[in-house]
Amino acid sequence: MKKFICSMLIASTFLISPISHAESFVMHTAKAGDSYSYISNEFNVNIDTLKELNQDKDNIISEGSLVKIKPISMNKTITIKVNNEKLNPEQHPYIENNRAFVPIRTIANALNADGIIWEDSSKTAILVQDKKTIRLTLGSNIAKINDQDVKLDAPISVYEGRTYVPIRFISEAFDCNVAWDNDNKTVLVNTTDSYDEDLYWLSRIIHAEATTQPLEGKIAVGNVIINRKNSPNFPNTIKEVIFDTNYGYQYTPAKNGAIHNSPSTESIKAAKLVLNGKNNISGCLYFLNPRKSTNNWIVKNKTFYKRIGAHDFYR
């Protein structure tokens, strides 16, 4: 029987603190040796403005602490909407490395996670939903989905008495669609089946595998996924093809977490063209970069079809 210790909020990182009326800020997690002078130069912000923003009179920055860089926008805070319903986080979200961070309880409740567990010995928050477990350790930019390491764009931190986690990473790990409305500074999360799941995952594998390739190369990578989906020898959905582990991970981005990206306009265009039937590699089921690949099995056992950009395609 699963043991969900929602009362783990007794841990110091989850203690309730007074509601702050500050705006949402762009943040920086301090590293060893960081100073206001360094941060001022790094982010092109006046040093006196930084000190005032952080109400710092001692000129001391502790490693791992969050430093406010600037408000995300004058008199605005980040809005979170799940299925178009606005959430009311206990504390304001913030931005670090272009990623929105929210209190862990806010997103866990919104996505109906089965439970939140606090592991005090390792300072790790654990989210559980169905057969998926996400481990998030304070101060670390490496999360775990089940037993797979995934690199985050910024570390898990404590802010205003709450443990904050990247909303896009958590949402996508739980198979939700995420978008950013920059004009309104709003994170849009969709948990329903109304969005095009095939386009969602196909555009992301194309972006992860072929971001530097020409459009034709992106289309070709997308068609390998489609050809596998249509083959009796592979899973029958795009998502299952991408995450197929029958003979180990078939695609590195699914293994290392790079699949959880924000695809470029061209990657989305390529995915749409592929889904609408454009095929430039016939029935190819394999591709590799001959300058980087160590997979000799494909070269020895499959038939070369053509090269597009940096990739060779095989039947």
Side-chain angles (χ1 to χ4, degrees):
M1 180 177 178
K2 294 180 180 177
K3 184 179 180 183
F4 299 125
I5 315 175
C6 290
S7 60
M8 59 83 179
L9 301 185
I10 59 173
S12 62
T13 56
F14 289 84
L15 291 177
I16 297 174
S17 61
I19 296 295
S20 168
H21 298 291
E23 299 166 337
S24 290
F25 292 93
V26 175
M27 298 286 206
H28 166 70
T29 300
K31 302 177 178 63
D34 274 2
S35 64
Y36 280 112
S37 177
Y38 169 80
I39 296 172
S40 172
N41 291 328
E42 182 75 9
F43 292 95
N44 194 27
V45 178
N46 179 275
I47 190 168
D48 291 328
T49 300
L50 277 175
K51 291 179 181 179
E52 181 179 355
L53 197 60
N54 290 278
Q55 299 180 339
D56 195 316
K57 298 178 181 178
D58 300 323
N59 293 324
I60 297 174
I61 300 177
S62 301
E63 182 180 358
S65 64
L66 282 167
V67 179
K68 295 177 182 176
I69 304 301
K70 62 181 179 181
I72 62 157
S73 184
M74 192 60 66
N75 299 321
K76 277 196 174 183
T77 189
I78 296 170
T79 298
I80 309 293
K81 290 185 178 180
V82 175
N83 297 332
N84 212 33
E85 182 176 338
K86 183 179 177 181
L87 303 185
N88 295 299
E90 307 97 325
Q91 304 288 4
H92 294 300
Y94 66 81
I95 295 283
E96 183 169 8
N97 286 345
N98 296 315
R99 290 289 182 256
F101 281 69
V102 297
I104 189 171
R105 179 177 285 281
T106 296
I107 192 60
N109 289 344
L111 299 183
N112 297 314
D114 294 331
I116 309 173
I117 302 168
W118 174 249
E119 191 174 84
D120 193 53
S121 59
S122 62
K123 304 301 180 188
T124 297
I126 304 169
L127 292 181
V128 182
Q129 188 183 66
D130 297 328
K131 297 180 180 179
K132 193 168 290 184
T133 299
I134 302 175
R135 298 176 62 87
L136 304 134
T137 301
L138 291 181
S140 176
N141 65 345
I142 301 296
K144 281 184 177 290
I145 300 179
N146 293 337
D147 293 322
Q148 184 63 51
D149 287 349
V150 179
K151 187 174 181 180
L152 305 176
D153 293 299
I156 307 303
S157 295
V158 175
Y159 177 54
E160 296 184 334
R162 306 285 180 177
T163 296
Y164 274 66
V165 295
I167 188 170
R168 177 181 288 276
F169 167 73
I170 299 296
S171 299
E172 291 185 345
F174 286 155
D175 300 323
C176 301
N177 186 31
V178 184
W180 169 251
D181 179 354
N182 189 57
D183 290 340
N184 296 302
K185 300 296 185 282
T186 299
V187 181
L188 303 167
V189 181
N190 194 328
T191 68
T192 69
D193 295 328
S194 61
Y195 69 90
D196 189 337
E197 184 177 22
D198 284 348
L199 176 60
Y200 181 83
W201 288 111
L202 189 60
S203 63
R204 278 158 174 76
I205 191 64
I206 288 172
H207 187 72
E209 290 281 9
T211 185
T212 62
Q213 300 307 301
L215 179 61
E216 285 297 308
K218 290 179 171 67
I219 290 169
V221 166
N223 269 296
V224 168
I225 305 298
I226 296 297
N227 289 343
R228 287 194 173 200
K229 180 180 81 73
N230 294 333
S231 168
N233 298 320
F234 295 93
N236 58 10
T237 72
I238 286 174
K239 183 179 179 182
E240 288 173 338
V241 165
I242 292 170
F243 290 95
D244 183 14
T245 58
N246 268 344
Y247 299 97
Y249 276 95
Q250 298 291 297
Y251 298 104
T252 300
K255 181 178 180 180
N256 65 18
I259 187 68
H260 301 290
N261 58 53
S262 299
S264 66
T265 300
E266 188 167 75
S267 293
I268 294 171
K269 177 181 179 180
K272 288 180 177 178
L273 288 170
V274 170
L275 290 171
N276 287 329
K278 183 173 177 59
N279 186 329
N280 59 354
I281 55 157
S282 185
C284 289
L285 294 169
Y286 305 88
F287 70 90
L288 56 82
N289 184 330
R291 297 168 188 80
K292 296 180 179 180
S293 178
T294 57
N295 191 337
N296 294 323
W297 181 87
I298 293 176
V299 176
K300 292 179 179 179
N301 293 279
K302 298 299 173 181
T303 303
F304 174 78
Y305 181 69
K306 69 161 66 170
R307 175 172 294 177
I308 303 177
H311 288 132
D312 288 351
F313 294 84
Y314 289 77
R315 298 186 185 206

